[in-house]
Each structure stands twice: as structure tokens, then as C-alpha cells.
Amino acid sequence: MKRDDIVTELTDDPQIWDFIIIGGGATGLGTAVEAASRGYRTLLLEQHDFAKGTSSRSTKLVHGGVRYLRQGNVSLVLEALRERGLLRRNAPHLVKNQSFIVPNYDWWEGPFYGIGLKIYDKLAGDLGLGPSEHLSKEETLEHIPTLEPDDLDGGIIYHDAQFDDSRLAVNLLQTLFDEGGIGVNYMEVTGLLKANKLVSGVKVEDREGTHRFELQARAVINATGAFTDTIRQMDNPDAPGIIRPSQGVHIVLDGSFQPGESAIMVPKTDDGRVLFAVPWHNRIIVGTTDTPIDEPSLEPRARQEEIDFLLTHAARYLTKDPEPDDVLSVFAGIRPLVARGGNDDTASISRDHTLLIDPSGLVTIAGGKWTTYRKMAEDTIDEAAVVAGLDERESVTENLRLHGWLKNTEAADPFEGYGSDALALKKIASGHPDGNPKLHPHLPYTAAEVIWAVRSEMARTVEDVLARRTRSLLLDARASIEIAEPVARLMADELERDQRWIEQQVKAYTELANGYFLG
Ligand SMILES: Cc1cc2nc3c(=O)[nH]c(=O)nc-3n(C[C@H](O)[C@H](O)[C@H](O)COP(=O)(O)OP(=O)(O)OC[C@H]3O[C@@H](n4cnc5c(N)ncnc54)[C@H](O)[C@@H]3O)c2cc1C
């Protein structure tokens, strides 16, 4: 999967693709896998790195969405629970069971949330991950010893799943290649080609240089998340915007703030939202907020009031109050919410997905969530095949094992999240002259992950490696800056880059990561 070879192939050997998919997040990658696995000639173009947008900034839950149940959106919950089950089956190396505790501080909360969660269990049916149960105060504290005990009445335990979002994105990219498709990062779509008023391809710019060229396709699919309207307006400058971007922020704390394997789920915060505190890679992710914003950006930044909100709520539920200095990382993502009928309240806008076909034939897929990417993709390719005038073919992704599929991974294995690729990483590690030591005492990664990321996962920059191939930026932003230089050196060896490149990379990464911690 060498990017340089792919770019040469795209420019020297032009062909008419069945589908060109714009956007390399969950939606675009899922759609590309859907198309390629049906045997269509498929090309995916991402302007920055895969999962650079929202898809590396989620709460990392594969869930039905208890919240949507409260909103009465049963069909959405049903669909998501089914997809949760399929994803656990098709990517067991990345998607794990996660128990959640709803702590009850008022007498009515136990029966109230207990009934709701029993309905949630029922909806999951055979794909359920375990029944919800009431817990006494003592049992609740056994699960989460640092839960605030004052006035605690008891709790409810229920089950959902958790994953590593950008690692799954990388596995989708690899699955795309396994299925005969192509994906390329740092390739921006700058315009649409038209023939007889119908979209017939895209204009692109290679962001690793300034090279511009054109690519033809039978159908072009816009899967650009928060940037959906930009592409739609390339087609029709007067197209009204459909995305109401809303920002969600998380803070990351050391695992000692909430030891044990269970997560906390707070069904209703002061402003009526759901809040999670979830163990992830020996840290705790606390989130999220929901703040409408004007313009989407690839690097959204948390606002002070969002950080204060998360710190205050974490302090309310945990015995040890986190201070700003305890925040190992803070990250923000943008929900690509689709507005219907002028509704501007982001908490009530549909989290369901929207599929649009413009008169020009441009296909747009937006909204939804990570958990439901496969179903979104299936719906999209069903429609897009008709737009493209291609023969219709059955979807196979319900039973398609994703790249890296491995049933029994060992939690203690340093390369656990790589599934079946772990063997290849071990081989790289065993060839390391110093025994492949950890790059930083506070981070679990070694040179092997860096080398593998460049050779097999199309990592092009230090940020690609530290933010998305490994999760260093989210696990400890300060520590990640300290390893930027050794990572740049390892990458430079692989990519044949010079000292100037190393210096530029370290500078660019340091500037970026400085925005991920407080103070
Ligand atoms: C705070 C937060 C928490 C969430 N938590 C969860 C969760 O726990 N579980 C869950 O299931 N879902 C969750 N979601 C929802 C989920 O993360 C999103 O629905 C999903 O990631 C959206 O993916 P996407 O591919 O549509 O968008 P994105 O991931 O943003 O991808 C769009 C891509 O398009 C690219 N692009 C844009 N313009 C161009 C162009 N001109 N040329 C080429 N490429 C372009 C961008 O660079 C970007 O990479 C959460 C969302 C947020 C905001």
C-alpha cells in the first residue's frame, strides 16, 4: 500500500471508476468497503489523513444509544444495536464488551432507569451483550471504587461495546485494499467535473505537492461529514446548507481516577445531556458536550466553558476531583448533524443518517454515527449503483470480516489492537537492535508501531502516527510531543526524508499537540 505508487497509477493510468468517494472518515471508508466488496471499481479520496475529522474524535462507543431510547427513537436504537452486534462479530479484535454503571443518587432513579435499560436489553435480542441489573450501593462501589459514595443509593449495570475509532478506520482502509479498492490520503477534491449537467468525476489536488489532476467516475459520493455542504455547493453554489455542526469535547484523565473495568453513564447532566466516563487504554475518557458552532474545521478546539463543564461533572461523580493539570488530553469533534425543516436545536436534530441524490447525480451521505456506518454504506451503495447505471449487486458486508479479524486477542499482548497483523508487528519488533523499547514511559508504543504504520497503514506525517495510528496524542499530549522527534526519525528512514523534513514535522506536530492540553 505505497502511496507514491498509488498516485502514479491514478495519474498515469486513468480509468473510469464505478465510484469515487470523497471523505476518509467512518462514512466514506465504510461506503468504499461496501462498494469494493460488491466488486465495483472503487476509489476513495481523503483531503487530510484517514479519520482526521470526527471519526478519530468520538467517545469510542459502539452503542445502541440509550439516549435515543429516551427520545423515543426506537427504530434508530434497534438499527444501532443490530450494527453493534455485527461489528463485534466482524472486528472482534477492536470491539469489546463494556459494562456501564448508572449511579443512582435519588430513590426514583433505580426503577426509572432500570425499566428503560430492560427495554434496551430486549431490543438487542440475540445480539445482547448481557442483561442489565440493579446493584446495591456496595456492589456499585465494588465496580467503581472511586464513585462518590455520599447519598449513593445503588446503581444499574448494563452492557454496550467500546472500540478504538481511528484504528477501525485504518482497518477499513486495509479492508478496502483487500477487496480490490483504493484509498488515498492527502488528496483533496477541489471541484466536480460535469458532462451534460451530470457529475462525471472530480478535480483533485495532491496535498503532498501541488499536482492537480482530474478523475472520472460513474457516480461520485460525498461522504465529507461536517464538510458536506462544501461539496454540495461545488455542484450547486445555491444549494442550501443541510449541516448544523455541533462540537463535542472530551477530557482524558489517568486511569487511577476511575479504576476497574466499568464505565459511568450519567443519563442527565445539569443541561439535560448524557455524560460518559469510560476506561480506554488505561485512561478515562470523560465526555461529551454539545455546542453548536458556525463553521466546521479539521482542528476544532474546546471552549473554556466546555472544559469547566466536564471537570465539574467529573468531580461530582468521582471521589478525587480532577484539576486542569490532571487532564492528559482534551479533544473536540464535530457532529455532522443534518437539519430537517429548519430545526436548529442540535440536541434534538436527528442522529439518523440522510441520503440525498441531487439532480446532477451527486450522492450525499451524512449524519448517523460510527456504530451505524455499515448500514449507512449499504443504503448508499444500493442507491448509488442505480445513479451510476451499474448492475445491482447484493451487499456482503454483514458477514465480511474486517482486516485484522482475530477472535481471541490477549489483553496483555502489546499489539492486541492489531489483531491478525500483530504477528507482523512482532516480527518488526524482534528485528529491532535494542529490543524495541517503549518510546516513552507514559505511552505503550514502540518503534514497531511507527514502522508498521508507515509501511502498511499509509501514515505520512508524525501527526498521522501519534494521533491516529497510535493514540499517543489522546493518551498523553505532553508525552507525545516528547517523542515527536524519534518518531520523525523512524519515519524519515522509511520514507527517505531528510533532516529538514524531520524538523518541519516536529515543529508542526508540537504546535498541534500544544492545543491538546490545558495551561
Ligand atoms: C464528540 C462526538 C462523540 C461521538 N461519539 C460517538 C460514539 O461514541 N459512537 C458512535 O457510534 N458515534 C459517535 N459519534 C459520531 C461519529 O463519530 C460520527 O458520526 C462519524 O465519525 C462521522 O464520520 P464521517 O465519515 O461522516 O465524518 P468525518 O469523520 O468527519 O469524515 C469526513 C472526512 O471528509 C474529509 N473531507 C472533507 N472535505 C474533503 C474534500 N474536499 N476532499 C477530500 N476529503 C474531504 C475530511 O477531511 C474528513 O476526514 C460521535 C461524534 C462526536 C462529534
Side-chain angles (χ1 to χ4, degrees):
M1 203 199 289
K2 272 198 181 299
R3 186 183 181 280
D4 296 345
D5 296 345
I6 293 169
V7 176
T8 309
E9 196 184 313
L10 290 182
T11 47
D12 291 1
D13 183 17
Q15 57 168 304
I16 300 181
W17 297 91
D18 288 337
F19 297 114
I20 288 181
I21 292 148
I22 316 172
T27 310
L29 287 162
T31 304
V33 167
E34 181 70 36
S37 61
R38 293 194 202 184
Y40 296 123
R41 273 173 301 168
T42 306
L43 173 66
L44 176 139
L45 305 168
E46 163 56 49
Q47 65 174 350
H48 192 279
D49 186 29
F50 307 107
K52 164 71 180 179
T54 308
S55 297
S56 58
R57 300 154 186 274
S58 77
T59 314
K60 304 10 170 163
L61 303 180
V62 181
H63 60 161
V66 178
R67 175 167 49 138
Y68 310 125
L69 198 57
R70 202 174 68 199
Q71 292 169 353
N73 201 339
V74 174
S75 62
L76 178 56
V77 178
L78 262 177
E79 180 177 287
L81 285 171
R82 180 158 189 278
E83 291 302 318
R84 180 187 76 177
L86 295 177
L87 195 51
R88 267 200 81 235
R89 206 170 68 193
N90 293 328
H93 59 297
L94 280 180
V95 182
K96 307 283 175 197
N97 280 12
Q98 175 66 56
S99 56
F100 288 78
I101 306 281
V102 182
N104 304 148
Y105 288 93
D106 277 311
W107 67 268
W108 56 268
E109 288 179 321
F112 184 76
Y113 294 121
I115 292 169
L117 289 165
K118 279 288 167 216
I119 298 173
Y120 196 63
D121 292 348
K122 273 254 171 313
L123 290 174
D126 290 349
L127 293 171
L129 304 177
S132 59
E133 281 169 42
H134 280 280
L135 301 176
S136 65
K137 177 173 178 173
E138 292 66 35
E139 286 168 332
T140 306
L141 289 171
E142 266 169 40
H143 281 279
I144 303 182
T146 54
L147 192 65
E148 185 55 62
D150 291 352
D151 297 327
L152 183 70
D153 205 43
I156 305 160
I157 185 167
Y158 75 96
H159 303 270
D160 246 321
Q162 194 206 35
F163 74 133
D164 184 322
D165 49 11
S166 67
R167 293 283 336 146
L168 184 60
V170 169
N171 280 168
L172 282 170
L173 173 74
Q174 292 164 315
T175 309
L176 171 63
F177 279 91
D178 296 346
E179 295 297 318
I182 288 185
V184 57
N185 49 6
Y186 297 100
M187 195 63 80
E188 181 179 0
V189 170
T190 54
L192 298 175
L193 303 177
K194 289 207 177 166
N196 299 325
K197 297 193 177 159
L198 296 177
V199 172
S200 60
V202 293
K203 296 179 191 171
V204 295
E205 181 168 336
D206 184 352
R207 290 177 65 165
E208 287 207 347
T210 50
H211 188 42
R212 291 172 185 207
F213 51 101
E214 296 181 347
L215 295 161
Q216 314 270 341
R218 294 186 205 287
V220 173
I221 301 174
N222 172 14
T224 52
F227 301 91
T228 296
D229 290 331
T230 314
I231 303 292
R232 291 190 69 232
Q233 284 155 6
M234 285 177 188
D235 174 32
N236 171 12
D238 300 326
I242 57 165
I243 297 291
R244 298 286 174 275
S246 155
Q247 169 166 298
V249 169
H250 299 88
I251 55 173
V252 181
L253 301 172
D254 186 70
S256 58
F257 278 88
Q258 190 183 309
E261 296 191 344
S262 295
I264 300 175
M265 191 275 224
V266 177
K268 210 164 183 185
T269 57
D270 288 349
D271 60 354
R273 304 190 190 286
V274 173
L275 189 84
F276 292 102
V278 192
W280 189 68
H281 294 309
N282 296 321
R283 309 288 194 270
I284 304 296
I285 297 186
V286 183
T288 176
T289 57
D290 198 347
T291 314
I293 53 168
D294 295 332
E295 286 295 320
S297 120
L298 278 178
E299 272 300 331
R301 285 292 141 94
R303 299 178 186 185
Q304 189 57 46
E305 62 267 27
E306 293 179 296
I307 294 164
D308 292 344
F309 173 90
L310 294 174
L311 285 171
T312 309
H313 277 81
R316 191 175 296 169
Y317 290 93
L318 297 173
T319 44
K320 191 173 149 204
D321 296 356
E323 300 293 334
D325 265 359
D326 295 316
V327 173
L328 297 171
S329 187
V330 49
F331 62 97
I334 302 176
R335 293 182 187 81
L337 302 179
V338 180
R340 300 213 179 113
N343 183 347
D344 274 352
D345 173 1
T346 56
S348 64
I349 292 177
S350 171
R351 257 73 177 171
D352 213 335
H353 62 269
T354 295
L355 181 57
L356 289 177
I357 303 189
D358 280 300
S360 64
L362 177 68
V363 179
T364 293
I365 173 71
K369 49 186 189 156
W370 239 120
T371 307
T372 52
Y373 82 86
R374 194 209 62 81
K375 182 70 178 111
M376 293 166 70
E378 183 184 327
D379 292 353
T380 306
I381 294 303
D382 283 350
E383 294 286 328
V386 178
V387 172
L390 292 160
D391 55 322
E392 293 173 38
R393 299 176 196 167
E394 288 281 307
S395 172
V396 297
T397 48
E398 269 191 31
N399 297 308
L400 183 73
R401 290 176 174 181
L402 299 186
H403 186 100
W405 187 96
L406 193 64
K407 188 94 186 131
N408 297 313
T409 51
E410 294 281 332
D413 185 333
F415 304 126
E416 181 209 0
Y418 291 84
S420 58
D421 282 337
L423 274 180
L425 276 108
K426 281 181 189 153
K427 218 167 166 184
I428 298 175
S430 65
H432 193 282
D434 305 327
N436 200 42
K438 284 210 295 184
L439 291 167
H440 194 286
H442 298 159
L443 292 167
Y445 306 111
T446 64
E449 286 95 330
V450 181
I451 294 168
W452 172 257
V454 176
R455 288 185 193 165
S456 305
E457 298 180 342
M458 220 187 278
R460 307 296 294 174
T461 70
V462 166
E463 182 199 328
D464 297 349
V465 168
L466 291 177
R468 292 169 294 276
R469 303 306 182 284
T470 75
R471 308 315 305 270
S472 309
L473 178 64
L474 302 196
L475 298 186
D476 193 329
R478 287 185 188 87
S480 76
I481 292 175
E482 289 168 27
I483 59 171
E485 188 175 340
V487 166
R489 289 197 181 287
L490 285 163
M491 294 184 75
D493 280 351
E494 292 293 317
L495 293 166
E496 296 176 10
R497 302 286 199 254
D498 58 13
Q499 180 62 26
R500 216 172 122 240
W501 183 86
I502 294 175
E503 284 161 17
Q504 280 169 348
Q505 285 293 310
V506 173
K507 185 165 175 279
Y509 182 75
T510 306
E511 275 170 22
L512 175 114
N514 275 332
Y516 281 71
F517 54 86
L518 309 177

